[in-house]
Each structure stands twice: as C-alpha cells, then as structure tokens.
C-alpha cells in the first residue's frame, strides 16, 4: 500500500521544490508554477492549480474554450470551475500510482499553464 511517503519520495526524485503543509497537502513550485497543490483525499491523490478568476464578461466564450481545451489539449488533467475560479485538476489512485504517472500529471499541468494561459488570460482583460 502506498502512503504519503511515496508522494514525498516522488517529489524528491523529481527535484521539485515543495512545502509540506501538513494534513497530507503539499504546495509545489515547479517550472514557474508557484501554487500547484497536491493532496491525499482518501485513496486518491488530487492535483489542483488555480489559473484565474472567472471573468464577468464573455463567460460563455471562456467556458467553451475550456471545454475545447479539455478534449483536444490535455491528457492527465482538466480545466474546471470551482466557485469563482478556473482551476486545473487531476487525480490518481494512490494504491496504483507510480512515479511516471505522478510526474505525467504535473508535467501536463505545467504544459497547460505555459501553453494555454496566454489564451485564457485574454478573457481576463475584457472583464
């Protein structure tokens, strides 16, 4: 059975800077991303990064863009709306998770930020 120690060993193996926030939550700083949160939620490892606030104007166009990106550009994570925030999320089963899967989710989130934030940030300017 894998544990929080496996997550920390993966973070060390990746050479990723992180803060252990306690209660099975880590804040990662990797590839220019400052607040990628990784947490244990029962048997699931959850990855979450807030991208931006949902703008007041052109919301429908933003939502359509997010849905299109989910189906064409992301493999291990997805855009979603949480409260009033656009977030990137991913999840893995802890018991079956291996290092390559763990790193793939983090890499997918990093790629999504660098590649898609310029597109999404244009919706912010309109608000």
């Amino acid at each position: 059975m894998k544990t929080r120690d496996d997550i920390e060993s993966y973070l060390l193996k990746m050479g990723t800077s992180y803060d252990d926030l306690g209660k099975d939550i880590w804040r990662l700083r990797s590839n220019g991303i400052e607040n990628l949160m990784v947490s244990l939620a029962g048997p699931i490892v959850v990855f979450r990064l807030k991208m931006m606030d949902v703008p007041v104007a052109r919301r429908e166009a933003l939502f359509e863009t997010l849905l299109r990106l989910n189906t064409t550009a992301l493999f291990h994570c997805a855009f979603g709306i949480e409260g009033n925030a656009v977030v990137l999320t991913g999840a893995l089963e802890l018991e079956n998770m291996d290092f390559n899967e763990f790193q793939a989710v983090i890499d997918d989130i990093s790629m999504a930020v660098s590649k898609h934030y310029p597109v999404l940030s244009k919706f912010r300017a309109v608000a």
Side-chain angles (χ1 to χ4, degrees):
M1 176 74 171
K2 295 212 165 90
T3 67
R4 72 180 322 276
D5 293 336
D6 293 291
I7 292 172
E8 288 196 350
S9 72
Y10 293 166
L11 292 171
L12 290 171
K13 185 174 181 179
M14 289 175 64
T16 299
S17 297
Y18 68 94
D19 298 315
D20 184 342
L21 302 178
K23 296 188 179 185
D24 296 331
I25 301 172
W26 299 265
R27 179 177 43 228
L28 281 55
R29 293 178 305 283
S30 175
N31 299 324
I33 297 173
E34 295 295 320
N35 287 308
L36 173 55
M37 306 302 284
V38 177
S39 62
L40 280 176
I44 305 295
V45 179
V46 178
F47 302 80
R48 182 189 174 282
L49 176 71
K50 179 181 176 183
M51 290 284 290
M52 61 189 261
D53 290 329
V54 175
V56 175
R58 298 184 56 213
R59 295 165 66 95
E60 292 80 10
L62 170 64
F63 298 159
E64 181 178 343
T65 300
L66 295 173
L67 288 170
R68 290 187 190 282
L69 289 172
N70 279 346
T71 60
T72 61
L74 301 173
F75 301 104
H76 302 284
C77 63
F79 287 107
I81 305 296
E82 182 179 311
N84 196 38
V86 174
V87 296
L88 269 167
T89 62
L92 295 170
E93 289 186 33
L94 178 63
E95 185 174 336
N96 299 319
M97 179 182 69
D98 65 21
F99 173 72
N100 292 333
E101 292 174 314
F102 185 84
Q103 185 173 18
V105 174
I106 293 172
D107 290 347
D108 199 31
I109 289 173
S110 297
M111 183 277 310
V113 170
S114 64
K115 187 173 180 181
H116 304 305
Y117 184 75
V119 171
L120 299 177
S121 67
K122 292 177 184 175
F123 290 98
R124 288 180 45 183
V126 176

